[in-house]
Amino acid sequence: MSKKIFSGVQPTGNLHLGNYLGAIKNFVNLQKEDKNSCIYCVVDLHAITVKQDPIILKRNIRETTATFLASGLDPKKSIIFNQSTVPSHSEGSWLLGCVARMGWLNRMTQFKEKAGKDKEKASVGLYIYPILMASDILLYNSTHVPVGEDQKQHLELTRDIAQKFNLDFNCPNFLTIPEPLIQKKFSRIMSLKDGKKKMSKSDPSDQSRINLTDDKDQIVNKIKKAKTDSGELPRNEDDLKKRPEINNLYGIFSSVQDQELGETLSEFKGKNFSEFKNTLAEALVEKIFPISREINKLLKDEKYIDQVLIEGSIKAEKIAKKKVNDIKNIIGF
Ligand code: TYM
């Protein structure tokens, strides 16, 4: 069976280094390996599971698309579109939602984290969010889904839904059981202010993350102010494991430089924090700032971005509509 790649990113603003190193960088590598088999979606329906300002949402859909393009995704090689323009995603979500079990959804840790203490006030959309994600993936017969570590549980749910559908309707192999593609290393980039907390768009402190739209000075400043501890630079991986903030910064440097953690450890052995931070900031400026510059350039040409999305949506709809029709047939409609 040929590889089919699908992944999505929410257009909720502040796309950051975690999104890039955990997911988007991998999207680009997969596009290089497998031209014409990758589908990347701006998941705007997922974004409205929490309140969005309509004008800002519209801007964020374009900004996320611009980020895809600026990072190296090519609409001639991959399908790039936004979810709400392909209604089959919502339709599939309803059909699959009747297969998914409440008990499965009740286990989802991301819902618990996002809903917080008062889950009665969370939107129903936030609760059934992973079913829509399953629909995204399953409608394209996706074999592989590149994501960061935080999406692993949602992928397991997708697999459970596909397996149950195939079993309930006695149609083995009809829904493809997708494999998560989670990088073995650096798949969870942490906050620059707290090495135990995930780097996140929703963190109120902008200092906690490098945004993909940050300029050079912002990148350098954030790394300068990134939390460290009072010890020396670590000597080995055991030492690193006990020091979450340094571990995260070493992970970021290794990932950006495409090198092993061991190489980073030896590169900075005996050096001091300011030397390490300067080198890290330089590496980030070199890799991230060109993306930021390109995003800002692309955002000036809204027509082009909209055209990319329209063309992607036409291609995506063809595939997704067929699958939804097949699902409906199997169900008995
Ligand atoms: P989202 O928009 O929160 O994040 C997009 C991608 O970035 C990864 N990511 C991280 N990776 C490493 N370190 C971090 N700190 C970090 N923060 C975010 C996420 O794992 C993700 O891969 N539910 C998804 C979107 C989605 C989707 C899909 C993904 C909807 N449908 C279908 C794959 C397939 C989400 O909210 O990602």
Side-chain angles (χ1 to χ4, degrees), residues 45 87 113 126 212 278:
L45 294 172
E113 275 165 31
L126 190 66
L212 295 178
N278 286 341

Side-chain angles (χ1 to χ4, degrees), residues 173-306:
N173 307 324
F174 168 69
L175 291 178
T176 305
I177 315 296
E179 295 289 336
L181 277 184
I182 300 172
Q183 297 174 87
K184 285 197 188 70
K185 290 168 250 159
F186 326 124
S187 59
R188 194 173 172 84
I189 305 295
M190 310 308 275
S191 155
L192 299 178
K193 290 283 159 201
D194 179 352
K196 294 197 181 92
K197 234 168 85 183
K198 193 180 71 168
M199 184 178 284
S200 156
K201 305 169 190 180
S202 52
D203 194 314
S205 165
D206 194 56
Q207 295 292 321
S208 69
R209 60 181 166 262
I210 307 275
N211 300 308
L212 295 178
T213 46
D214 281 348
D215 62 26
K216 286 183 191 172
D217 289 348
Q218 283 168 314
I219 297 175
V220 171
N221 254 318
K222 285 178 181 178
I223 293 300
K224 237 187 221 161
K225 291 191 184 140
K227 189 173 167 199
T228 49
D229 57 38
S230 53
E232 293 173 358
L233 282 177
R235 292 172 188 280
N236 52 47
E237 292 200 25
D238 285 338
D239 185 10
L240 204 54
K241 274 186 203 137
K242 292 179 226 141
R243 300 165 69 184
E245 279 82 20
I246 320 296
N247 193 13
N248 185 40
L249 295 180
Y250 268 47
I252 291 175
F253 184 76
S254 309
S255 179
V256 166
Q257 299 296 79
D258 283 318
Q259 66 185 33
E260 296 293 325
L261 205 52
E263 287 174 62
T264 303
L265 277 161
S266 28
E267 191 172 334
F268 293 100
K269 211 177 255 174
K271 299 200 172 150
N272 61 36
F273 268 118
S274 69
E275 278 172 285
F276 167 64
K277 280 190 163 182
N278 286 341
T279 315
L280 172 61
E282 264 170 37
L284 284 171
V285 166
E286 196 186 313
K287 293 275 160 66
I288 300 302
F289 180 63
I291 297 178
S292 160
R293 199 173 40 206
E294 187 62 17
I295 293 173
N296 288 318
K297 198 174 117 197
L298 284 162
L299 282 174
K300 293 195 182 108
D301 192 352
E302 290 183 352
K303 263 201 190 140
Y304 171 66
I305 295 178
D306 293 351

Side-chain angles (χ1 to χ4, degrees), residues 10 18-19 129 133 136 147-148 150-151 187 189 199 201:
Q10 290 195 63
N19 297 124
Y129 171 121
M133 181 160 161
D136 298 341
V147 281
D150 61 339
Q151 296 299 318
S187 59
I189 305 295
M199 184 178 284
K201 305 169 190 180

Side-chain angles (χ1 to χ4, degrees), residues 61-78:
I61 292 169
R62 290 196 178 110
E63 191 174 303
T64 304
T65 312
T67 305
F68 281 178
L69 300 172
S71 304
L73 291 184
D74 178 350
K76 292 198 187 77
K77 296 181 185 156
S78 299

